[in-house]
Amino acid sequence: MEPFPSDRIQLPRNMIENSMFEEEPDVVDLAKEPCLHPLEPDEVEYEPRSSRLLVRGLGEHEIDDDEEDYESSAKLLGMSFMNRSSGLRNNMSVYRQNPNGSCSVPSTRTMVVCTVVLVIAVSLIMAIYLLPKCTFSKEGCHKKNHTMELIYPLATNGKLFPWAKIRLPPDVVPLHYDLVLQPNLTTLKFAGSVKIVVNIIHVTWKIVLHSSGLNITKATITSAGGHQAKSVEFLEYPLHDQIAVMAPEALLVGQNYTVNIEYSSNLSDTYYGFYKISYKDENSKQRWFAATQFEPLAARSAFPCFDEPAFKATFLIKIKRDEKLSTLSNMPKKATTPVTNGIVQDEFFVSLKMSTYLVAFVVADLKNISRETNGSLVSVYAIPQHLNQVGYALNTAVKLLEFYQKYFFINYPLEKLDLVAIPDFQSGAMENWGLITFRETTLLFDSNTSSARDKKLITAVIAHELAHQWFGNLVTMEWWNDLWLNEGFATFMEYFAMEEIFPELHSDEDLLNLIFKAMMKDSLNSSHPVSSAVQSSEQIEEMFDALSYIKGASLLLMLKHYLTKDVFQAGIEVYLHNHNYGSAQSDDLWDSMNEITNGTLDVKKLMKTWILHKGFPLVTVVRKGKNISVQQEKFLYRVEPENWTADASYLWHIPLTYITSSCNFTHCTNAYLLDQKSAVIELPEEVEWIKFNVDMNGYYIVHYAEDWKTLIDLLKKNHTALSPKDRANLINNIFNLAGLGKESLEKAFELIDYLNKESSTAPLTQALFQLSLIYSLLEKKGEQQLAARVMHRIEHLLGDKIDQQRWTDDGTLSERELRSTLLAFACTHNMRNCRATATEMFEKWMKSNGTMSLPSDVMKAIFTAGAKSSNGWEFLLKMYSSSVSEAEKSKMIEALASTEDVRKLIWLMQNCLEGEVIRAQELSHIIATISQSLPGYLLAWDFVKENWEKLTRKFHLGSYTIQNIISSSTSQFATKAHLLEVKSFFESKSEESSQLRCVKEAIDTIQLNIQWMERNLAKLQELL
């Protein structure tokens, strides 16, 4: 291709002449100028007035379309037109000049004629000015109209930025990136260059891509086959994290071009992008570590890129580093070459086609252990002092990788899989393809200090991230509205794989508890559909919530049971094969399932009723002889009737399951699809009892009306007639119905009276959770005596069970986990002699200067009791600073946050935010723990208010951490004064803050707490 004609970019005429800016600084009239750059009307998006320049092509009926925007623009246009009109008038002299230089007065007739002519001329000019260009064209004007046909924002240099939408234009797609980075762990900065090969889909003059916080020093473009890179102008629009590379001539359809950009930046001090971490080595010397976290929108802060999940490309990554450090990236290392004194360059093999958010690299001093399986080398990396804690993770990862390959019938496609423990990491882990990064507590297992629960957590997180190598990496959601395709599937597969490979962990009980909590969130009017439209960064961040993960997993669990496991597995296989290395939407999954059901069931029709609608159904069951009447309605806490979104007519297609007294084994499970408002199921014979939603495999709540008494009697006489999950399900359902006002609190308490005979973890945990919610509300409301009576009721039900617990680590994993739960609860609430026993063990440990071994399952209970004294708290903090076990440190943090000393609590939160002694990654956990206690719940909220700007700068608006902080710091409030305070606080902040969904959920929750107290306080006084 010919070289570009000139070094100087030809600005299109609609990019505005300087003289036009001088006359009309805010409005540009395009009605008279042909458009050289293809700025199509469908590119229009409205921007805040403070950041936009209005570029108008005047069209029909604009006043009616948007009066406000028109009014502000019309004033400017009016001023402009007056300037032009005055110019015209100045040029139309109606005075005659005498030879002697004086002017004679014109006649009256002349004056009238001139006035008429002037009025006609001005009217014609205005009409022509205001009419759209299409009026005089051959085609005429089409009805399609936009209030402002073209609205483009201003770039940082004051010029027009040629794109106004948050989403990138579809004109250009990336094919390949060559990325070179040089991080400096002394100056904590990095330099980079990226060459992006792009393909042109539609003729364009611009290449718009993402860049955030990068100091771009040079940009060039080269055509395919061209040898000379030409410097080009680039424009920056930080509000959308976008840059536009302006081509000197049209970029042609089907052609490839290479964009080369050089830049530099600081290593981030947040948890996003390419960020820095400090830690202390074995000799207590400060060391630096650089790692990445790009999901969802931070790859753009490490290199300019097309940072949307559907823009998949291949990546060749080179990293220059200190020769004493090591680097890791998605692919295996290809070569290491010297660059200059002490600096070498690592080059990695070209990646598979993948999304930008999955790119990753780490620069640090790391050690590892490895094992090969099925042609892939699996390695677990950690800083040197933690190398002895990576063995369990390696064994678990190998087992899971082998399981997934068999289940999906698709081999893991890379030659290596690295799992890396990062010393400071906001989330639990990140599924970067071939380089999975973890928080240390979710990867490192210390046989001396890690409990049964720690082992389960590590297993679950590894299972989740490995599932992503197929769901998310191989097949990626097209846009963030379908994030559940990634996260819901990975969560579903995590628990499914654990049941298959590690049945002794009883992970299905954990999923059950998570589903119960997700349903609490989903029952609020502020909830959202699993698949929801999102645009802004805050909206995208907020999609990473319990609904995308847990509701998504629960819906897949329900579908698997309805279709049967073989049909479901075959559907997954088709989905992965049809879309590998590509992107998908929800419908693609249902279409794949329909290929297998082959017309016997329309999976798409069924599942759309669940995916596109928020909330879940309440199914009411009435038994009359052999006939079972079932009726569905929406389960919703109606907080403010005037703001309530009515969905009375909405119908879910519910795959009901049920067992009866005639046969209550799993193989006797019956199914019925309720796709109407109501129906009647006829049983073959009359039964003593019926239980719907077997093992809680469906995402709905059941109200048994008159049959609750039958089920309560069943639990008292023979609770093992139902499975532990079914028993937990009944406890959850009746307490939720009591909150809704559909059932009495008295009946809920009557149902749990059987618990002194209960020995399974799931129902005990659920009962403890429900009663703790009531206790906390009463305590924070100042109803201390009533709260004490709730605790007395818990002790009456569970006291014997608490007394039976031994302060050891023996028993099955399920028994050990129950022991941890019961003893931690008993010690926190000073129940039985728990605190005395724990304090005695803590003091022995303190006397040994922390060298005495403590049972890991009861370690948290011991530390919590010890932290009640000032000396114990100080000693625990000292031990925290020197401990090398992340599992032990996690238990210490919770204990430190359980003190009743207000000054210590304030210090703890402040220090954690600054990351001095305790890392900022622990802050949401600390705030949640402090919020549970009576001395701490107001402190936590005050801390959030006072540090809101710092919190949102560190963790980003909408992030999972911010969601947790808002939720935990406000969930204990149950007064109108607190409701007003929370509302007022967020209303005083930015619109982005006040409109966060988690803020609306917090307000809904406080209103529900108030409503619950008004409805049940008097009843509780009678009951207890």
Side-chain angles (χ1 to χ4, degrees), residues 229-428:
K230 299 296 291 183
S231 291
V232 291
E233 183 186 28
F234 61 90
L235 304 171
E236 297 179 274
Y237 184 46
L239 189 66
H240 287 170
D241 291 343
Q242 289 174 357
I243 59 171
V245 175
M246 307 305 297
E249 61 185 19
L251 303 175
L252 304 177
V253 173
Q255 294 293 310
N256 289 353
Y257 298 84
T258 301
V259 179
N260 186 7
I261 300 173
E262 295 177 12
Y263 61 95
S264 62
S265 189
N266 295 322
L267 289 168
S268 172
D269 55 5
T270 70
Y271 289 105
Y272 296 86
F274 194 15
Y275 72 100
K276 61 180 186 280
I277 301 155
S278 74
Y279 69 96
K280 288 185 178 164
D281 64 14
E282 304 100 314
N283 305 314
S284 296
K285 183 183 174 187
Q286 187 186 44
R287 302 288 301 273
W288 287 97
F289 188 121
T292 56
Q293 170 59 42
F294 289 162
E295 189 179 32
L297 308 171
R300 63 192 68 175
S301 64
F303 60 100
C305 56
F306 294 78
D307 201 9
E308 291 181 9
F311 284 122
K312 290 192 169 187
T314 55
F315 295 81
L316 170 61
I317 295 172
K318 299 174 185 175
I319 299 177
K320 296 173 183 175
R321 56 154 173 105
D322 186 311
E323 61 186 359
K324 294 173 188 170
L325 300 173
S326 57
T327 59
L328 297 169
S329 188
N330 305 83
M331 301 300 291
K333 199 173 291 181
K334 183 180 180 181
T336 300
T337 53
V339 176
T340 181
N341 261 356
I343 302 293
V344 295
Q345 176 175 279
D346 291 329
E347 180 180 340
F348 298 88
F349 284 99
V350 176
S351 77
L352 299 175
K353 196 176 174 187
M354 64 183 185
S355 304
T356 48
Y357 77 86
L358 294 169
V359 174
F361 27 89
V362 170
V363 182
D365 178 15
L366 295 168
K367 302 290 182 193
N368 71 289
I369 60 171
S370 305
R371 189 191 307 167
E372 190 169 338
T373 175
N374 201 28
S376 296
L377 186 67
V378 181
S379 305
V380 183
Y381 287 82
I383 55 177
Q385 61 262 45
H386 288 156
L387 189 63
N388 63 339
Q389 299 175 41
V390 301
Y392 178 74
L394 181 62
N395 293 333
T396 302
V398 168
K399 286 179 186 174
L400 284 161
L401 195 65
E402 290 168 353
F403 170 78
Y404 286 139
Q405 291 181 117
K406 287 175 187 170
Y407 185 79
F408 298 137
F409 286 100
I410 298 176
N411 283 340
Y412 173 71
L414 304 183
E415 290 178 15
K416 64 99 173 173
L417 175 64
D418 297 335
L419 293 78
V420 187
I422 308 285
D424 199 7
F425 198 74
Q426 183 180 345
S427 54

Side-chain angles (χ1 to χ4, degrees), residues 708-950:
W708 274 115
K709 189 177 185 310
T710 309
L711 291 167
I712 289 168
D713 290 342
L714 176 66
L715 290 174
K716 284 178 180 171
K717 289 173 191 168
N718 180 22
H719 67 279
T720 56
L722 298 174
S723 71
K725 286 197 279 187
D726 273 333
R727 302 197 295 269
N729 177 225
L730 288 176
I731 294 168
N732 172 270
N733 282 194
I734 199 163
F735 274 95
N736 275 302
L737 289 164
L740 197 63
K742 290 265 186 184
E743 198 45 86
S744 70
L745 199 57
E746 183 179 7
K747 202 165 275 184
F749 274 95
E750 198 182 338
L751 184 137
I752 58 172
D753 274 342
Y754 90 95
L755 281 177
N756 50 17
K757 294 183 289 184
E758 183 62 83
S759 57
S760 294
T761 306
L764 285 169
T765 305
Q766 181 56 206
L768 208 52
F769 175 75
Q770 295 293 345
L771 293 170
S772 295
L773 285 179
I774 296 171
Y775 171 82
S776 292
L777 281 180
L778 291 169
E779 183 192 43
K780 311 305 185 298
K781 180 83 168 159
E783 297 284 347
Q784 258 47 43
Q785 285 188 331
L786 202 51
R789 277 149 64 187
V790 172
M791 203 50 63
H792 179 73
R793 183 66 170 259
I794 295 172
E795 188 170 353
H796 170 72
L797 291 170
L798 304 180
D800 290 346
K801 192 71 58 190
I802 292 166
D803 290 341
Q804 291 164 15
Q805 303 307 312
R806 296 187 301 277
W807 294 76
T808 62
D809 280 341
D810 58 358
T812 66
L813 282 169
S814 190
E815 288 168 348
R816 291 172 61 189
E817 193 172 4
L818 181 60
R819 179 185 302 139
S820 292
T821 301
L822 289 176
L823 289 179
F825 181 85
C827 284
T828 298
H829 296 284
N830 204 11
M831 199 176 282
R832 296 301 221 229
N833 63 345
C834 182
R835 197 175 285 181
T837 306
T839 303
E840 186 184 333
M841 293 179 80
F842 181 85
E843 283 171 356
K844 286 180 183 175
W845 179 72
M846 194 160 66
K847 279 176 188 168
S848 75
N849 202 28
T851 57
M852 185 182 101
S853 180
L854 293 173
S856 60
D857 293 328
V858 294
M859 194 180 278
K860 188 172 90 171
I862 294 167
F863 288 161
T864 301
K868 297 293 178 189
S869 74
S870 186
N871 286 345
W873 195 92
E874 296 292 347
F875 180 74
L876 204 57
L877 182 64
K878 185 185 88 169
M879 292 305 296
Y880 175 87
S881 302
S882 60
S883 174
V884 293
S885 165
E886 292 303 316
E888 184 179 56
K889 288 170 85 168
S890 180
K891 298 173 185 68
M892 288 174 173
I893 282 171
E894 201 161 330
L896 290 167
S898 300
T899 180
E900 292 171 6
D901 187 323
V902 169
R903 286 170 302 172
K904 287 183 169 62
L905 293 175
I906 293 169
W907 179 89
L908 200 61
M909 290 187 285
Q910 199 61 53
N911 184 278
C912 186
L913 179 58
E914 288 158 11
E916 290 175 7
V917 178
I918 299 168
R919 295 192 181 283
Q921 67 179 11
E922 309 293 350
L923 186 58
S924 68
H925 186 199
I926 286 173
I927 289 174
T929 306
I930 290 173
S931 296
Q932 291 300 310
S933 71
L934 186 60
Y937 84 111
L938 293 175
L939 284 179
W941 169 238
D942 284 343
F943 176 81
V944 171
K945 286 189 296 182
E946 288 163 16
N947 294 279
W948 179 248
E949 279 70 28
K950 285 182 184 175

Side-chain angles (χ1 to χ4, degrees), residues 521-527 613-618 632-650 652 677 740 742 1004 1007-1008 1011:
K521 180 185 175 85
D522 203 15
S523 64
L524 303 175
N525 198 36
S526 50
S527 182
H613 197 73
K614 67 182 181 181
F616 54 88
L618 166 63
Q632 66 163 293
E633 62 186 289
K634 181 166 187 169
F635 186 101
L636 181 72
Y637 291 112
R638 304 188 189 191
V639 187
E640 294 179 339
E642 66 275 13
N643 292 336
W644 180 63
T645 311
D647 292 286
S649 62
Y650 189 80
W652 283 267
K677 179 79 175 170
L740 197 63
K742 290 265 186 184
D1004 274 2
Q1007 289 172 322
L1008 272 179
Q1011 183 178 290

Side-chain angles (χ1 to χ4, degrees), residues 953-964:
R953 192 162 54 245
K954 182 75 175 174
F955 300 111
H956 284 211
L957 268 182
S959 67
Y960 201 63
T961 304
I962 290 294
Q963 291 176 48
N964 285 341

Side-chain angles (χ1 to χ4, degrees), residues 166-225:
I166 293 175
R167 298 282 296 273
L168 295 179
D171 306 341
V172 180
V173 294
L175 302 177
H176 176 75
Y177 294 79
D178 272 4
L179 177 62
V180 181
L181 289 162
Q182 183 166 1
N184 186 321
L185 296 188
T186 304
T187 62
L188 303 178
K189 297 177 185 295
F190 69 95
S193 68
V194 64
K195 290 180 181 176
I196 312 173
V197 178
V198 299
N199 181 256
I200 309 303
I201 306 299
H202 305 291
V203 174
T204 184
W205 295 74
K206 64 187 184 296
I207 298 175
V208 180
L209 63 161
H210 288 111
S211 172
S212 176
L214 302 176
N215 176 31
I216 297 173
T217 51
K218 186 180 178 184
T220 63
I221 190 167
T222 312
S223 59

Side-chain angles (χ1 to χ4, degrees), residues 116-176:
V116 171
V117 169
L118 181 60
V119 168
I120 290 169
V122 169
S123 301
L124 279 169
I125 291 166
M126 285 185 72
I128 292 166
Y129 187 94
L130 292 170
L131 280 171
K133 287 187 290 184
C134 57
T135 304
F136 306 104
S137 68
K138 201 172 186 179
E139 295 81 8
C141 294
H142 298 288
K143 275 291 179 187
K144 183 183 175 184
N145 184 47
H146 301 278
T147 304
M148 294 194 171
E149 290 184 353
L150 295 171
I151 300 181
Y152 289 91
L154 284 179
T156 50
N157 63 358
K159 294 184 178 180
L160 275 179
F161 191 81
W163 187 247
K165 292 187 177 183
I166 293 175
R167 298 282 296 273
L168 295 179
D171 306 341
V172 180
V173 294
L175 302 177
H176 176 75

